[in-house]
Amino acid sequence: MCGIAGEIAFNGRKASREAVLKMMESMTSRGPDGRGTWESGWVVLGHQRLSIIDLSEAGAQPMVDDGGLAVTFNGCIYNYKELRRELEPEFTFRSTSDTEVILKAYRKWGDDFVHHLVGMFAIALYDPQRQEVLLVRDRLGIKPVYVSQLPGKLRFASTLPALVASGGVDTSLDQAALHHYLSWHSIVPAPRSILRGVQKLPAATIRTVRADGTWHDREYWKPEYTRRPERAAWTAEDWQDAVRAALRTAVRRRMVADVPVGVLLSGGLDSSILVALLAEEGQHGLSTFSIGFDGAGGDSGNEFVYSDLIAREFGTRHERLHVSTAEFAPSIHGAVEAMSEPMASHDVTAFHLLSKTVARHLKVVQCGQGADEVFGGYAYHQPLASVPRSGAHAAFTASFVDHSHGELLEILEPEWYSGSDVSNRVLAEDLAAPGADTALDAVLRLDTHLLMVDDPVKRLDNMSMAWGIEARVPFLDHELVELAASCPPELKASGGGKGILKDLGRQLLPAAVVDRPKGYFPVPALRHLEEPFITMVRDALHAPAAKQRGIFRPNHIDRLLADPNSQRTPVKSNVLWQFALLEMWLQHHGVG
């Protein structure tokens, strides 16, 4: 786990080591255990190391083999030991790292090496014989890859601010990305980023970059959300057994490390199931961590009663972090600094604070992110179970979109209009694409493969890596996702959502944890704004930089500030906070 960076220069130019060093310097928190660079004329690779597997110098990166292949890699290959045993008859290994397994796998299988990798990964691999650089992102986009095309060169890094730090990047705001941000509670899906001069490599993509500056992308994985004939006779119990087996495998895989592994335990169904399955695997004395806040606006600020129950049931070493409103407010700025892009979700700062606590004890944790998208756990998923396939777009838009295109015309100053309803077009194209049998199938595909990558997945990566924590997500094991994609949608939508997981939970957990209203990571102070947050919001939206930028119509902002809690999105987020967070991020990073 780490931060990766690099520059690729074209048509005989020499790549800049200085630019790569600037990017690495800005990512020190992602890899505090070491730093390395490698260069070969038109290619420079950089690496910030967080030591998880093979803690010795033999596992350091960038790593180069005897034939000149060079790689810098962020993430973890969970099946690296199995792959190593398969490759050892042909290759000699000099380390016990998963990085070296990537090099040997490429030697054996070429571009198809990616199909043999089980894990989360962002890889940059230089092949001197082909005179190409491969940029590879894992199937679910768990590890980020930002890229910037500059005159005569391409740069890449694990964070957007790292690319900005390298210099020369167009940091103006992307109008279409702004449209996405305001339409989908701050989600800007790949390939766009919030800045015009920075893009994201999409999940499950290999980008092949040649020395002449040409490149092409190949999507190497995308499951079908259809029923498979070989499973047509499966009963609900058969599906439940299959999900339990796949999830048990996913949890076991994510225990691979040369350091201890803990769990972020919210007290909800998903993280509680992980603790139960780890107990089945014989993990005793597991470290678990929960966070809670002061209540506000009638909302409770913690779910400690449930996390405590799970900790007692499975005998974990449990640590609770309660954060008062007075302590929480100053923490906002640290979370904003850690964001690769602006993220208005109320729980971003919660993950940032919890990761700070975890960092005092561990480097690796598992968590339940992704379960709602994969298994249909959100409230807006439920109506889709009874909507015809052709009605997916209308039903999803009604329950998910924060602001219509017409409403954005009333919110934004004219210079920030995108010109067309770009967000609606993206949704319509994705939901209408073949490969999804029902309306719910189509929306779960959209959630899992487009929106989730730049919402909970990005949030977790940014906030955990800010403290040098590797967060692993068993519910995003690609084989589990494939299985869930083929699962009859009624099994996922039942029981108020995630029915098949709830049935599994009843086998593993106390009933009180399973049969309760769905909880969210509660941060009431950012849903119901009071002081000091109202002043924080007003300062951000009235700052000289905000006025000069002129994104929002002043009369619209003034109406919201007069009644800060009057407007909520369909997913119950505070609209004013969404606007203010964008300005806070732009001002902090000096862009836009």
Side-chain angles (χ1 to χ4, degrees), residues 217-232:
D217 285 355
R218 174 168 69 92
E219 184 180 47
Y220 64 86
W221 178 84
K222 192 166 189 178
E224 294 286 304
Y225 281 68
T226 58
R227 313 291 78 82
R228 294 188 180 182
E230 66 271 22
R231 296 171 181 163

Side-chain angles (χ1 to χ4, degrees), residues 126-141:
Y126 167 66
D127 185 333
Q129 290 187 318
R130 289 167 48 175
Q131 288 290 285
E132 292 176 346
V133 176
L134 301 185
L135 299 179
V136 188
R137 195 172 182 192
D138 66 68
R139 296 169 181 85
L140 277 306

Side-chain angles (χ1 to χ4, degrees), residues 338-341 343 458-466:
M339 296 176 188
S340 270
E341 294 178 79
M343 292 179 279
K458 181 168 67 181
R459 185 190 325 158
L460 180 65
D461 173 81
N462 284 192
M463 298 304 109
S464 60
M465 290 306 295

Side-chain angles (χ1 to χ4, degrees), residues 142-194:
I142 302 166
K143 304 318 299 176
V145 183
Y146 287 88
V147 296
S148 186
Q149 188 83 44
L150 300 168
K153 56 196 161 191
L154 181 145
R155 290 180 188 152
F156 63 87
S158 294
T159 72
L160 182 152
L163 285 171
V164 172
S166 71
V169 175
D170 181 355
T171 61
S172 59
L173 205 59
D174 183 302
Q175 291 174 321
L178 177 63
H179 199 284
H180 295 338
Y181 176 95
L182 295 172
S183 298
W184 304 328
H185 27 282
S186 76
I187 298 171
V188 178
R192 295 188 185 276
S193 85
I194 197 65

